[in-house]
Amino acid sequence: MKNYLEMLIEGKSLQEQEMEEAVQGIFAQEVSDSEIASFLTGLKSKGETAEEVSGLVKAIRKHALNFPKRIPDVLDNCGTGGDGSKSFNISTTSAFVIAGAGITVAKHGNRSVSSKTGSADVLEELGISLDFSPEETEEVLEQNGIAFLYAPHVHPKLKQIMKVRRDLKIPTIFNLIGPLTNPVQLDYQLLGIYRRDMLDKFAQVLANLNRKRAIVVNGAGGMDEASLAGENEMVIVTEGEIKRIKLLPEEVNLPVYDNDSIRGGDARDNADILLHVLKGKKGAYRDTVLMNAGLGIYTAGKAESILQGVELAAESIDSGRALSKLENLISLSKQNKKAVG
């Protein structure tokens, strides 16, 4: 670690393999809290490269719970959080709509960090279990086409790093990489990020992680989701090829809404919003979900355009399939709790 810290102090970047080795040392508990803090602040001061982020992510995934089964064509649509928009749980609601369109979704997520309610908070409020084992999760994915992976449960060895992060009280690369560390083998990924300057870098990381197709999006107003408030910047990664585009609501036949119109509340409020959307209630919440679920459906290759993805998202809701995915997951969670009890 001493050599890597010296490199960072000198402004030198680590190769992907060097980054993996440094993080392996942290997991092996060969490194003190102060060294971890110096490492994270050194990376932040220098500016993390795509290779460094890729190495960090690969090391974290190696130490996550093992999900051995290779389920084909799985997508995650987890965002980084941290945009301060106080919006409802857009990606969580969208995940059920994407699953209702016939795409397998392994939704990675956590409790609230910057907003009132994280994905884990709202799902727990709805009665969904946060502690399925890897084998149970894989079974749920095959049975229901959607499962939730609670980050602290699937990454039990991150406790020392998380403690240092809390003590530092400044944003580090760990504020951004959560969606990249999903331990399920993903083919597709829709990743919302609150920092527009990191779009290209994260697109390169997703290319390094061999996604068949991925989209990194920064929404109007700096949201970590696609927004109906104006212009969305996104980068599409297809088999390693990277293309940057802009997307406006009118291009996919959706109205414009101010970001204030999609504010959420506590876990109960956001659970109600999620249920209302999946039950077909019209308005800003639904249209925002249509945009984001449409992007997910397009990412997974189920639609030939984002517009068609939005149309398929509306079908998923209006047919009741999206709500059915939620109800099935709640039912499977009850069975899991009975089995544990």
Side-chain angles (χ1 to χ4, degrees):
M1 178 58 81
K2 183 170 180 273
N3 290 338
Y4 296 136
L5 288 174
E6 286 174 355
M7 286 175 68
L8 294 176
I9 289 165
E10 291 168 10
K12 294 176 183 173
S13 295
L14 276 61
Q15 298 299 311
E16 185 177 301
Q17 184 59 41
E18 291 174 324
M19 189 67 173
E20 275 202 65
E21 286 173 6
V23 180
Q24 296 286 7
I26 293 171
F27 279 121
Q29 298 184 318
E30 299 166 353
V31 179
S32 67
D33 286 359
S34 59
E35 285 175 310
I36 295 172
S38 298
F39 187 66
L40 293 177
T41 52
L43 283 166
K44 181 181 174 68
S45 300
K46 178 188 69 65
E48 301 89 348
T49 65
E51 278 206 36
E52 287 168 338
V53 177
S54 300
L56 174 60
V57 168
K58 287 178 180 179
I60 289 170
R61 290 183 75 245
K62 281 179 183 173
H63 287 271
L65 295 184
N66 184 34
F67 290 76
K69 195 175 280 190
R70 183 70 172 92
I71 300 169
D73 300 327
V74 179
L75 172 137
D76 186 9
N77 70 324
C78 176
T80 60
D83 62 10
S85 67
K86 299 178 181 165
S87 62
F88 76 108
N89 296 93
I90 298 168
S91 63
T92 305
T93 311
S94 300
F96 292 105
V97 179
I98 295 166
I103 294 151
T104 305
V105 180
K107 177 75 170 70
H108 194 247
N110 209 333
R111 295 197 184 279
S112 170
V113 178
S114 62
S115 61
K116 277 189 180 180
T117 311
S119 57
D121 302 304
V122 75
L123 290 170
E124 196 171 51
E125 179 69 28
L126 289 162
I128 291 168
S129 176
L130 302 182
D131 58 0
F132 282 112
S133 70
E135 294 76 19
E136 289 165 340
T137 300
E138 287 167 342
E139 195 175 322
V140 169
L141 281 173
E142 289 179 325
Q143 279 183 29
N144 192 42
I146 182 168
F148 179 75
L149 293 93
Y150 178 45
H153 178 61
V154 297
H155 298 291
K157 295 185 180 178
L158 277 176
K159 287 177 183 172
Q160 186 185 9
I161 297 173
M162 294 304 103
K163 177 186 176 297
V164 173
R165 279 185 64 201
R166 284 193 298 272
D167 292 344
L168 272 176
K169 295 184 175 63
I170 58 168
T172 69
I173 191 59
F174 274 87
N175 290 73
L176 295 169
I177 62 163
L180 298 169
T181 63
N182 191 325
V184 171
Q185 296 179 67
L186 302 174
D187 287 305
Y188 305 107
Q189 189 150 10
L190 172 62
L191 195 164
I193 188 166
Y194 71 92
R195 283 182 55 183
R196 194 159 286 198
D197 63 306
M198 297 289 277
L199 280 170
D200 293 310
K201 195 173 289 185
F202 269 56
Q204 187 57 59
V205 173
L206 288 164
N208 293 348
L209 295 173
N210 298 316
R211 302 289 187 257
K212 287 182 186 175
R213 183 189 273 167
I215 294 180
V216 191
V217 60
N218 174 260
M223 287 191 69
D224 75 319
E225 315 274 1
S227 164
L228 297 178
E231 189 174 81
N232 299 277
E233 289 262 7
M234 56 187 73
V235 182
I236 302 174
V237 184
T238 309
E239 302 285 1
E241 201 172 297
I242 294 172
K243 178 184 172 187
R244 191 164 185 142
I245 68 165
K246 299 178 192 293
L247 182 68
L248 293 163
E250 50 265 38
E251 293 176 66
V252 289
N253 295 337
L254 290 171
V256 174
Y257 291 98
D258 189 277
N259 284 338
D260 284 344
S261 66
I262 55 168
R263 285 191 173 230
D266 61 19
R268 183 67 256 161
D269 295 330
N270 285 11
D272 286 341
I273 293 167
L274 185 153
L275 285 167
H276 286 147
V277 169
L278 297 189
K279 288 176 180 177
K281 186 177 180 181
K282 302 283 200 293
Y285 295 124
R286 171 191 165 102
D287 289 338
T288 301
V289 167
L290 291 181
M291 168 80 98
N292 284 277
L295 279 170
I297 293 165
Y298 172 71
T299 301
K302 203 86 172 176
E304 292 182 8
S305 66
I306 298 168
L307 173 58
Q308 188 185 20
V310 170
E311 292 166 350
L312 290 173
E315 282 180 31
S316 173
I317 294 172
D318 296 337
S319 66
R321 292 194 302 269
L323 181 61
S324 177
K325 293 293 181 181
L326 170 63
E327 289 170 343
N328 289 345
L329 190 53
I330 293 168
S331 175
L332 290 164
S333 293
K334 286 176 181 172
Q335 291 172 33
N336 179 56
K337 283 172 186 170
K338 279 181 187 173
V340 171

